[in-house]
Amino acid sequence: MGVAVLPRILAQGLNKLFVDLELPDMEVYLVTRPQALKQAHIKCFFDILELVLREALSVATDSY
């Protein structure tokens, strides 16, 4: 079991822990150093984020 701060789009299907607590939107910062991608949790997050963004872009271009 773990706790993580995720963009809502990546957190679909997960249980929200603080349902009654209004949290502000949080900015996401990605590390650009190649060594950072050797860390499994950073690489996994980046891969998922890239997939979500590519899907969003393909849906946006398909609708034009």
Side-chain angles (χ1 to χ4, degrees), residues 7-63:
R8 284 185 180 94
I9 195 166
L10 296 178
Q12 293 175 353
L14 299 177
N15 294 329
K16 190 173 180 181
L17 296 177
F18 306 107
V19 179
D20 297 330
L21 183 62
E22 277 296 318
L23 298 173
D25 292 336
M26 297 178 190
E27 296 194 23
V28 174
Y29 297 92
L30 294 178
V31 180
T32 57
R33 296 182 63 186
Q35 298 90 342
L37 291 177
K38 293 180 181 176
Q39 298 181 44
H41 65 289
I42 294 175
K43 179 152 179 43
C44 182
F45 175 78
F46 183 80
D47 291 344
I48 293 171
L49 181 62
E50 182 180 28
L51 176 68
V52 169
L53 291 174
R54 285 185 187 277
E55 288 176 358
L57 286 173
S58 71
V59 168
T61 56
D62 289 345
S63 63

